């Protein structure tokens, strides 16, 4: 998926800044991991050098995270969530399940990358629940199919912008 086709994700300025700081830290750490690999390489036979292989795996993990964060931040919508008459990405949503108004859940509809910035549970807009409630208004009931295959009915109680 090219960056022009990637879905936009809403992020607060604080969440964007935190992810950018993580990216900057990972990029700044590249020389240290390269030095670790070189030090382990000099220890001898690479086939039996666990430290070398561990350092290479760490480098691979970090490079993957760097690429992911670069693309994610490039496609992020940064700013305050707009007040809307319907559920949008970046909304804090309260729902209840199957006509049981005592069985409620409040969560943030947004990217899982925001999860580190809030104590709220975060559901992706692309999840089954997220897709079902996108565009819903207060009091509207929708049904979605859970990954287990069962149909679940939820009613949107309220929603508003994420203040995190």
């Amino acid at each position: 998926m090219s960056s022009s086709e990637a879905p936009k994700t809403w992020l607060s300025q604080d969440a964007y800044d935190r992810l950018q700081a993580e990216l900057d830290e990972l990029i700044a750490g590249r020389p240290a991991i390269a030095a670790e690999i070189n030090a382990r390489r000099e220890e001898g036979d690479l086939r039996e050098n666990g430290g070398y292989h561990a350092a290479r795996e760490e480098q691979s993990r970090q490079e993957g995270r760097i690429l992911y964060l670069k693309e994610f931040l490039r496609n992020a919508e940064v700013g305050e969530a707009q007040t809307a008459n319907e559920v949008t990405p970046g909304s804090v949503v309260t729902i209840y399940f199957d006509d049981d108004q005592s069985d409620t859940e409040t969560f943030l509809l947004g990217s899982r990358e925001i999860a580190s910035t809030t104590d709220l549970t975060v559901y992706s807009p692309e999840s089954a629940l997220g897709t079902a409630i996108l565009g819903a208004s207060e009091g509207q009931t929708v049904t979605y199919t859970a990954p287990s295959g069962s149909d679940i009915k939820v009613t949107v109680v309220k929603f508003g912008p994420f203040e995190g």
Side-chain angles (χ1 to χ4, degrees), residues 64-111:
R65 182 71 176 160
I66 287 169
L67 290 173
Y68 173 79
L69 285 173
K70 282 182 175 180
E71 185 68 13
F72 183 80
L73 293 172
R74 181 179 8 261
N75 291 302
E77 295 273 346
V78 180
E80 298 303 316
Q82 299 193 6
T83 304
N85 295 330
E86 60 186 33
V87 175
T88 60
S91 298
V92 176
V93 183
T94 301
I95 59 171
Y96 64 82
F97 294 90
D98 297 320
D99 298 323
D100 182 358
Q101 294 185 18
S102 65
D103 185 11
T104 65
E105 181 176 5
T106 300
F107 57 89
L108 173 62
L109 186 64
S111 167

Side-chain angles (χ1 to χ4, degrees), residues 118-133:
T118 180
D119 292 332
L120 291 169
T121 301
V122 179
Y123 289 105
S124 166
E126 291 81 27
S127 68
L129 173 59
T131 302
I133 65 170

